[in-house]
Structures are given as structure tokens and as C-alpha cells.
Amino acid sequence: MNNEYLLQIKNLSKSFSGVKVLNGVEISVKPGTIHALMGENGAGKSTLMKCLFGIYKQDEGEFYLNGEKFNFTDPKHALEHGVSMVHQELNQVLQRTVVDNVWLGRYPTNGLFVDEKKMLEDTIELFKKIEVDIDPTKNLADLSVSQRQMVEIVKAVSYDAKVIVLDEPTSSLTQNEVDKLFEIMRTLKKQGIGLIYISHKMEEIFEISDYVTVLRDGNYIGTKVTKEIDIDTIIKMMVGRDLKHRFPSKSHTIGEIVLEVKNLSTTYKPRVKNVSFKLKKGEILGLSGLVGSRRTELVEAIFGARKRETGELILNGKLIKNDTTVQAISNGFALITEERRETGIYPVSNITFNSTIANVHNYKGITGLLNGKQMEKDTSKLVRQMKIKTPSNYELIRALSGGNQQKVIIGRWLLLNPDILLMDEPTRGIDVGAKFEIYQLMLDLVSQGKSIIMVSSEMPELLGITDRIGVMSNGRLAGIVDTKSTNQEELFKMTMKYL
């Protein structure tokens, strides 16, 4: 096998219960390159990585490391041979120091005792090697998400890794943190390390990668040199058809004011300060701003999930309270939360439970027992309407792709027929095809007279789907602009207004 590659995966296939989830997949990673791996949720990226790290055993196909055939028996075996992975969901011991987390499970010893001095010196040396500036004696709990991610990268390098897999590393980072991560990736690249970069963010792929490999429905579609293709080419490879536009066309009509938010401030830090705006019927109002600008805190305060110190909510000309989430729901509000896995789904419950839980009181009969038949009927209707891909309504929701999980969450609230939907990062971690479907769903909802407040960290998304954009800056509303007459530069300047 070719020695010009650090890692080669050849003709890999894997089936579960007779269903082929990988079919003839290939990827070849050269030293000193960043190789993007793309595909819709459910395309087979996670299964491919699990086969690589020995969690699953492939049915067909071979792995080659530095030209020699191999198979890893487990992730530890992979680490010991220079192949490492930085997961999207960081698995760290937050109450221990950076040094402890880097060397966990393999502390250097001096006789019977752990050699603390050597651990610290080796960690500092590693930090210098990849130009990371973090105090190694700090507890991980005191670091930001991006700093914790950097610690994981340092840990990977400490194993003398030649191939590092990064799974959706920028999903929770600010732009400044993304820039720093990319600096580290370029430093690793210069040192001859090969990086596999898994991401749904098109702009980042073109900024950082050298090659792109695309999977679709478990099949290998192809590998391209990044600078020789464009976004449309990748989208066509991923979804199997042309998406002439990344966003559906708009045709909805915007009506009268349905909601007024007046001088809203929150009680506890981090605080929202004196925010006022108006939301119209049939409108998608975007909320932009840096991470930490209090966009999430604002929608939580509107929904009654965060205590207000001051402020009024006026719905259809009438003052309402929304002091609790129960009041907000009864007033026709719904909240799709930012952290789908932590606050959106019940991971060990099935789709029927997750679809109907917000509306459960309506399924109680005279005896107080739940009407399981009606719950099942409504879930089946949602699965059809939302085009949720699942073998059955009894599938655990955690087994679904991110896009399908998000559809279940949105469908849960639609059963309550809300008038105002608060959607916090509704397409985070979702592939381009599923994003398009959620955008279309949002436009269908506003065409029916619903109104949406949408928080997003992706500028192209805000510019592509909203009618107006409000920009948050350090807890304050810096202003609201019409989407069709603004641009990324203006929005970015507004984010700096109160910093």
C-alpha cells in the first residue's frame, strides 16, 4: 500500500441486522494535510470512525497505517499507535487539573509515586510545541469550552499522534475561538500531522481543509481537492441533487405586531439589560451576537425560564405575565432550546414519549390514565409531516441523527399549536439537507401566521432565512435591521457596540 499516506481506509463496509450502513468507503490522509469528512446526519461518518477505532468490526475492507495493514482492537490501541480523536462531546474530569487530564491513566512514576514534576514539565513542553497558552495547573472546570478542547488536542499530541480526528470541534465556539483553533490545526499540519476534520460548516471547510471526502447514505461519493471545488459541488455530492439555493425562497406575508417586549432585564448574572423590541405576525426575527451576548438568556426570560427583574410582555395588545414556563406555554409560546442533548431530548426514551411529553395532560382520560393509542397516532402523524427518518416510533431518540432529533423536538411543540416559537440555534450540528428542511418548516409556519424568534451564530443563516435581525451586545440590544438591506460587516460592527 502507498507509503505517501499516513492513514488509508479501503473499501470499508459494515452492516447491522442485514442493513448496510457503510458500503465501499474510502479515505486517504497525507502527512501535513487537513482532510475534511462530510455527509448528512446518518451518512455513516460516526460508524466509519467507530470502525477505525476498533469499537465496531468491519465486515469488509482494510486499514493501512504508514503503508502497513492493521486493525485496532479498541481506542486505547489506536492511541498507542498514533491515531487519536477529539470528540464533539468532551469527556473530561472537570474537577482535576489540566495536567491530570492530559496524563490520566498513564501517570509517569518515580518509584512508587507519581512524578508530578515530570508531568508538569512535559505538559508545558507540549503546550509550547503547539503554541497553546493555558495554565496547566488550573482545574478544567475553570476553562472555557475552547480551552478544554485545546487540552484534548494536547492530550492527543502527547500520545505522539500522527493522525488526529476532530469531530465538530467548532459547534460551541465563538469566531475568535475558531480562529485560535485553526491556528493550532495549522501548527499541527506544519509538524506533519494529518487531521481528519468532521464538520457541517461549509465556510470553515473551505477555510481550513486541503481535501474533502463526502459520504452519502453510507456510500463513498468521492474525494476532491478543496480549492478546486465550490459549496454547490459539495452540497450536490452530499444530498445527491442540486440545491440551487441554500435557503428556500420566501413568500410569506408579515402582518401586525403580535408581541412587544418592553425594557426587559433579568435578575441573575449573566444579565440582560433593558431590551425592547416588537415582533410581527408571520415574521422570522433573528437574534445575532457573539457567544456570551445574552441571546439565550433573552429568549429564556421571554419564555419564563429565567427570572425577569423588569420588563413587560404585551401579546396582541394585552399585558401577559410569562413568569413561569407553564404560563408561557398557556399563552402560546414554545421554546426549542440551544443544547439539544442536554435540555431538549429525553435520550433513553422513545420517539413517542419525546413527541408527546409537552402535551401529556391532553392525553389523560377520565380515569387519569394516558391514552396510549392517541399518543401513538399523533406521533405517527408528526413522523410523516416532519419526514423523520426512524424504523419505528419506539426507537430511542438518542439513536436518531441530530437533524431527526431536532425535528422531533419541533414536532413536540407543534402539537401544542403555539403562536410564537423561540428557536435557539435550531440547526446547530445539523447537515445541509436537514437544515434546508428545517428552514422550509419555519417558512411554512410563518406562512400560517406563526411568528418566530430565532437565535443563530451563523451569519449566512440569519441573512438567508430571517426578515429582520436584532443584534445583542453584552446583554443589550444594539439595534434591529432589515435583513435584505444589511450585511455581515454591519452586523459584526453592531456586536461590538457595548463591549
Side-chain angles (χ1 to χ4, degrees), residues 166 189 220 251 339 342 358 376 430-431 456 458 475-476:
L166 297 165
K189 177 179 165 180
Y220 171 73
S251 59
E339 297 296 336
E342 289 183 18
E376 184 64 26
I430 292 174
D431 63 72
S456 176
E458 296 187 34
R476 299 177 185 273

Side-chain angles (χ1 to χ4, degrees), residues 135-175:
D135 181 352
T137 64
K138 272 193 169 185
N139 276 2
L140 242 63
D142 298 326
L143 303 184
S144 68
V145 173
S146 68
Q147 289 174 317
R148 287 172 51 202
Q149 208 165 49
M150 290 171 196
V151 172
E152 281 297 287
I153 294 171
V154 169
K155 184 175 181 177
V157 174
S158 75
Y159 279 94
D160 197 25
K162 300 303 179 193
V163 177
I164 299 176
V165 181
L166 297 165
D167 184 11
E168 294 283 357
T170 65
S171 61
S172 300
L173 304 188
T174 66
Q175 188 55 52

